Amino acid sequence: MRQVKHLLEGKGTDIFSIAPDAPVLEAIKHMAERRVGALLVMRGERLVGIVSERDYARKVILQGRSSAQTAVSEIMSSPPLTVGPDTDVFDCMRLCTDSRIRHLPVVTDDRVVGVISIGDLVKEVIDAQAEQIEQLQRYITS
């Protein structure tokens, strides 16, 4: 099975982030503009958390807080779970499902090199299964 670094090669290494002291409203606008479900929370070059649409819904909307007056640091998940580029896709899938998270920052040498989502992982697993089925069909019919 492929490793995380192969997923990043295919999808790119765009990293969307926000500062911990930024208002949640700014984070939500960034997510909407970039069509992503989460942003990394960075203090300079250091990853300090991750903020997602779920965090917004659970910790702002449902609690009746103000998006403009709540800082990202108040609702972010910290410390975020991370993986390395050599991590197996199935291990990442297990981590996401067991932890009920949708995004995994990819870190090497204390530097964020990308982010993978549960959608990236599901697609990879389905593609791998389709390839195995095709190989078995060729074997059976040849």
Side-chain angles (χ1 to χ4, degrees):
M1 179 47 76
R2 289 174 23 135
Q3 298 172 325
V4 170
K5 62 186 167 191
H6 300 120
L7 290 180
L8 291 179
E9 288 170 5
K11 76 174 273 186
T13 55
D14 289 339
I15 298 171
F16 302 115
S17 65
I18 194 155
D21 57 346
V24 171
L25 182 59
E26 186 180 327
I28 294 304
K29 286 180 180 179
H30 285 307
M31 282 187 254
E33 289 167 1
R34 290 163 176 81
R35 300 177 54 96
V36 296
L39 296 173
L40 299 183
V41 182
M42 306 287 288
R43 184 171 285 120
E45 294 292 315
R46 195 170 135 249
L47 176 65
V48 295
I50 189 166
V51 63
S52 70
E53 294 167 328
R54 277 186 179 176
D55 295 323
Y56 174 67
R58 289 181 180 157
K59 300 173 186 174
V60 177
I61 298 297
L62 292 178
Q63 293 181 9
R65 297 170 79 176
S66 165
S67 300
Q69 296 175 345
T70 303
V72 168
S73 61
E74 295 177 48
I75 70 162
M76 70 184 186
S77 298
S78 180
L81 294 175
T82 63
V83 295
D86 294 326
T87 307
D88 183 83
V89 168
F90 279 117
D91 291 336
C92 292
M93 179 72 88
R94 192 174 304 108
L95 181 60
C96 283
T97 55
D98 290 350
S99 304
R100 298 193 179 278
I101 59 174
R102 295 182 178 182
H103 301 87
L104 282 171
V106 182
V107 177
T108 185
D109 299 325
D110 293 327
R111 193 172 107 305
V112 178
V113 294
V115 177
I116 56 169
S117 70
I118 189 73
D120 300 326
L121 298 169
V122 167
K123 181 182 180 321
E124 179 61 29
V125 168
I126 289 171
D127 289 350
Q129 288 176 341
E131 185 178 321
Q132 288 174 341
I133 290 169
E134 185 179 307
Q135 289 172 351
L136 288 170
Q137 286 174 334
R138 279 196 309 262
Y139 174 76
I140 290 170
T141 58
S142 60

